[in-house]
Amino acid sequence: MEWQFFVELVTNGMLTGLMYALVAVGFVLIYKSTDAINFAQGEFCMIAAIVVAGAIKLYGFPVWVAIGTGLLFMLVFNWGLERVVLRPMIGRPVVAIIMATIGLALMFRGLGPLVFGAETRPIPLPIPDQPIIWGPFFMAPIDVLGAVISIGFMAVFGWFFMKSRKGVAMRAVADSHQVSMAMGINVERYFVLAWMLAGFVALLGGLVWGSAIGVDTQLAALGLKVFPVVILGGLDSIVGVIVGGIIVGVVEAISAGYIDPFVGGGTKDFTPYVLMILVLMVRPYGIFGKPIIERI
Amino acid sequence: MLKLNNVEVIYDGVILVLRGISIEVEVGSITTVLGANGAGKSTTLKAISGQLKAERGEVTRGTVEFEGARIDHLQAHEAVQMGIVQVFEGRRVFEHLTGEENLIAGGHIVSTPVMKRNMELVYEYFPRLYERREVQAGYLSGGEQQMLAIGRALMSDPKLVMLDEPSLGLAPMIIEEIFGIITKLNEQEKTTFLVVEQNATLALNLAKYGYVMENGAIVLEGNAAALKENADIKEFYLGISSGEKKSFRDVKTYRRRKRWLG
Ligand SMILES: Nc1ncnc2c1ncn2[C@@H]1O[C@H](COP(=O)(O)OP(=O)(O)OP(=O)(O)O)[C@@H](O)[C@H]1O
Ligand SMILES: [Mg+2]
């Protein structure tokens, strides 16, 4: 049935999109507090997944312990990264920080297989293998889990960011480092917090994507993959990331379902970028991005 | 309360901006520092609030003391902890935060109940801020932004509030309103103010004691009443004695000529 096919494409696109959003929100976190774009977010997901999968495979850890290990690792890893690489760069041009994250990304991508081996490993989450069939909906359990984790994280993080005092301080830091300091806000501590949060969400992203497609250095490509999501949504909006993720997921699914059969496949790999460029032409800040306020 | 002793400030390791200035601010007073563009007024405030480091400046000689403790090498957020808060030139509100969120950020270092109490107090003094509390600060009017910047500074329970050119770019009516509120805060809340201004008439009506700064040095100081009567001040800052208002450019060339001849 034609409409059933369409519904299936859209639901699965939405689920995938929410999983993209989980990776994309890592960009938003860093951008909102430091004004820099962290090109290593995809690599963070890869590292987190490699640690979890490695702990299971090499040391025989139970899944939950392995996830705990991964979490601890990511928090410490990103804390250290902020301290050693990024803090000395505070006050430098944003471009310098962006270049540093690109350098880090390439380094991690090269080091990952050296340290953990190049084979593809699974992350066996305790979820059923059979697809969930619910009326016309036909969904992979890992996609559903990924979408639920994504929505859960966004809700909690969104509350923290918009409503809590620490969230307000974090946004103040994003608005102006100098003025925040003049309010008694320890700006450096909020940078660390942002990077550790980015590490945490990378663990979530690494887990769901790692169990969906397997763990190897390919995971790092997620970073570029979600770039249209980030740009579509606007680099600094949580709602934007969710909407952007869903749009990209659905566009991918629909082009894979309707266009690929005619051209022999592969369109879903670039349609999100086409969309991204179109949106940028109309709305340079993305759909939900904040415009630069200009009034004298 | 606050004592600057022969303070010298150098930016970038070579640019000497403050050439040994001494300023004192008494508890509960309003003190003003007057000076033309580039005199070093903002730099003086930054030396007190620990903001120099962010601009690669440093106190290289002399001392800054606050309630008996040396503070010339504190970080900005540590200065706030000690009770010193600076309201920047040009207001510098957090544009993308609402008015109320600006206040919350201003009360970052105090507990939530104290923060809420201070917020009520700020709204009491600045009712306009209450009306506009949900508006993104970037869209507030200049006067409202200045009120917000001052209100935000009050949120941390400061002992000393330093205002950098609060009248800058505002209409006379708004300035009068804001300066009235500053006086009220000083009288009722016993907040101590150090106010930097280019507008000498305003500043000397507000303050009890004043300093005149030029080229990184204090050239004149005294009670506000006495300064208002001072011939030089009348001439150069109030533009009174000559009958016509003089621009800063005139003042500067005149000064230069005077020094040249003297
Ligand atoms: N970060 C900096 N690096 C180098 N020089 C600086 C820096 N900040 C200020 N200066 C210089 O120090 C001098 C005093 O500047 P300051 O901002 O303290 O003056 P001001 O009295 O506040 O002037 P205005 O009335 O224009 O605000 C100026 O000559 C300025 O060029
Ligand atoms: Mg100034």
Side-chain angles (χ1 to χ4, degrees), chain B residues 168-221:
Chain B
L168 193 72
L170 301 184
M173 288 245 303
I174 298 284
I175 296 177
E176 199 178 315
E177 185 181 345
I178 291 177
F179 277 47
I181 295 170
I182 295 172
T183 308
K184 225 165 87 184
L185 280 164
N186 174 251
E187 284 167 0
Q188 295 174 1
E189 309 299 325
K190 308 286 174 244
T191 313
T192 309
F193 284 94
L194 176 58
V195 184
V196 156
E197 262 298 344
Q198 288 199 31
N199 187 327
T201 319
L202 279 172
L204 292 176
N205 283 333
L206 178 74
K208 209 171 71 185
Y209 200 86
Y211 295 84
V212 179
M213 203 169 178
E214 218 169 70
N215 255 322
I218 301 292
V219 291
L220 205 61
E221 65 170 280

Side-chain angles (χ1 to χ4, degrees), chain B:
Chain B
M1 170 179 241
L2 176 77
K3 214 167 172 177
L4 275 72
N5 215 322
N6 250 318
V7 171
E8 181 181 281
V9 168
I10 295 183
Y11 282 114
D12 280 329
V14 285
I15 309 168
L16 177 64
V17 171
L18 295 190
R19 308 154 189 272
I21 62 161
S22 299
I23 286 178
E24 207 166 322
V25 176
E26 273 177 40
V27 182
S29 70
I30 301 183
T31 306
T32 186
V33 176
L34 299 171
N37 286 115
K41 306 181 297 296
S42 300
T43 303
T44 306
L45 296 192
K46 286 174 193 163
I48 301 164
S49 64
Q51 289 279 352
L52 282 180
K53 203 181 273 175
E55 302 189 12
R56 287 184 297 164
E58 202 191 349
V59 175
T60 45
R61 202 175 295 165
T63 58
V64 183
E65 281 172 38
F66 185 70
E67 298 185 318
R70 284 280 295 268
I71 59 163
D72 35 64
H73 290 287
L74 285 191
Q75 302 225 38
H77 64 90
E78 294 167 330
V80 180
Q81 299 276 358
M82 297 200 61
I84 302 170
V85 54
Q86 177 179 356
V87 176
F88 287 103
E89 185 176 336
R91 312 185 282 265
R92 305 286 296 275
V93 294
F94 296 118
E95 292 188 338
H96 296 98
L97 273 58
T98 65
E100 182 143 316
E101 287 171 342
N102 267 270
L103 296 183
I104 293 172
H108 184 74
I109 64 162
V110 297
S111 68
T112 304
V114 175
M115 193 271 288
K116 295 220 160 110
R117 193 198 64 208
N118 289 353
M119 191 184 286
E120 267 172 40
L121 193 82
V122 169
Y123 284 148
E124 217 171 277
Y125 278 95
F126 299 99
R128 190 105 58 100
L129 291 184
Y130 183 74
E131 288 163 29
R132 310 275 279 151
R133 66 190 182 282
E134 300 293 346
V135 178
Q136 263 194 38
Y139 294 111
L140 295 176
S141 76
E144 289 165 344
Q145 286 189 349
Q146 187 63 60
M147 291 179 187
L148 183 59
I150 297 172
R152 184 177 64 179
L154 297 171
M155 289 296 295
S156 61
D157 274 339
K159 295 170 186 160
L160 171 68
V161 176
M162 304 194 290
L163 306 176
D164 198 343
E165 303 201 29
S167 75
L168 193 72
L170 301 184
M173 288 245 303
I174 298 284
I175 296 177
E176 199 178 315
E177 185 181 345
I178 291 177
F179 277 47
I181 295 170
I182 295 172
T183 308
K184 225 165 87 184
L185 280 164
N186 174 251
E187 284 167 0
Q188 295 174 1
E189 309 299 325
K190 308 286 174 244
T191 313
T192 309
F193 284 94
L194 176 58
V195 184
V196 156
E197 262 298 344
Q198 288 199 31
N199 187 327
T201 319
L202 279 172
L204 292 176
N205 283 333
L206 178 74
K208 209 171 71 185
Y209 200 86
Y211 295 84
V212 179
M213 203 169 178
E214 218 169 70
N215 255 322
I218 301 292
V219 291
L220 205 61
E221 65 170 280
N223 287 319
L227 285 181
K228 266 189 270 186
E229 294 312 312
N230 181 291
D232 271 4
I233 297 260
K234 274 188 172 168
E235 172 99 26
F236 306 129
Y237 289 96
L238 305 178
I240 290 172
S241 70
S242 63
E244 81 209 59
K245 229 179 163 95
K246 289 195 171 181
S247 76
F248 286 120
R249 185 176 287 277
D250 297 334
V251 173
K252 282 234 159 128
T253 37
Y254 180 82
R255 279 270 172 197
R256 230 176 277 137
R257 199 166 60 230
K258 203 165 79 169
R259 275 203 206 98
W260 188 253
L261 296 172

Side-chain angles (χ1 to χ4, degrees), chain A residues 162 165 168-169 171-173 175-176 178-188 190 290-293 295-296, chain B residues 51 55 76-77 80 88 92 94-96 101 105-112 136 138-142 145 152:
Chain A
M162 298 313 290
R165 285 182 70 189
V168 170
R171 282 186 288 141
V173 169
D175 207 293
S176 165
Q178 193 189 12
V179 181
S180 298
M181 278 190 252
M183 304 290 108
I185 297 172
N186 187 341
V187 170
E188 294 177 347
Y190 280 87
K290 63 183 176 195
I292 294 161
I293 295 176
R295 59 169 303 282
I296 302 294
Chain B
Q51 289 279 352
E55 302 189 12
H77 64 90
V80 180
F88 287 103
R92 305 286 296 275
F94 296 118
E95 292 188 338
H96 296 98
E101 287 171 342
H108 184 74
I109 64 162
V110 297
S111 68
T112 304
Q136 263 194 38
Y139 294 111
L140 295 176
S141 76
Q145 286 189 349
R152 184 177 64 179

Side-chain angles (χ1 to χ4, degrees), chain A residues 54-295:
Chain A
I56 295 170
K57 174 88 182 205
L58 302 177
Y59 301 102
F61 285 12
V63 173
W64 294 114
V65 180
I67 293 174
T69 311
L71 176 62
L72 202 67
F73 181 88
M74 285 317 289
L75 294 182
V76 174
F77 182 76
N78 272 22
W79 174 83
L81 205 60
E82 199 280 335
R83 272 290 152 117
V84 178
V85 183
L86 299 151
R87 174 145 332 164
M89 304 198 69
I90 291 176
R92 303 275 187 80
V94 169
V95 175
I97 300 177
I98 294 174
M99 294 312 282
T101 67
I102 293 177
L104 284 174
L106 294 174
M107 187 179 86
F108 295 149
R109 215 178 271 203
L111 282 181
L114 280 184
V115 180
F116 295 95
E119 63 179 300
T120 305
R121 299 193 177 118
I123 296 181
L125 292 178
I127 47 173
D129 282 334
Q130 286 78 28
I132 301 170
I133 302 165
W134 186 49
F137 303 104
F138 190 89
M139 299 172 290
I142 181 63
D143 289 1
V144 175
L145 180 71
V148 168
I149 289 179
S150 176
I151 291 172
F153 179 83
M154 302 293 176
V156 173
F157 179 65
W159 175 85
F160 166 79
F161 212 59
M162 298 313 290
K163 297 287 173 216
S164 77
R165 285 182 70 189
K166 281 205 160 56
V168 170
M170 209 165 169
R171 282 186 288 141
V173 169
D175 207 293
S176 165
H177 299 170
Q178 193 189 12
V179 181
S180 298
M181 278 190 252
M183 304 290 108
I185 297 172
N186 187 341
V187 170
E188 294 177 347
R189 197 176 295 162
Y190 280 87
F191 286 168
V192 179
L193 181 64
W195 284 96
M196 287 173 78
L197 273 169
F200 174 68
V201 75
L203 174 84
L204 297 179
L207 273 183
V208 297
W209 279 103
S211 28
I213 62 179
V215 179
D216 56 27
T217 47
Q218 289 296 315
L219 267 186
L222 275 174
L224 267 187
K225 188 91 198 166
V226 302
F227 214 67
V229 174
V230 181
I231 299 297
L232 278 175
L235 262 169
D236 54 8
S237 162
I238 296 167
V239 178
V241 153
I242 298 174
V243 176
I246 290 176
I247 292 175
V248 167
V250 170
V251 164
E252 269 190 8
I254 286 179
S255 52
Y258 287 116
I259 308 177
D260 277 5
F262 298 105
V263 297
T267 51
K268 78 171 197 150
D269 290 332
F270 68 82
T271 40
Y273 293 93
V274 174
L275 187 68
M276 172 179 98
I277 291 165
L278 289 178
V279 167
L280 280 183
M281 279 156 57
V282 188
R283 284 192 63 97
Y285 307 109
I287 301 174
F288 291 90
K290 63 183 176 195
I292 294 161
I293 295 176
E294 273 187 61
R295 59 169 303 282

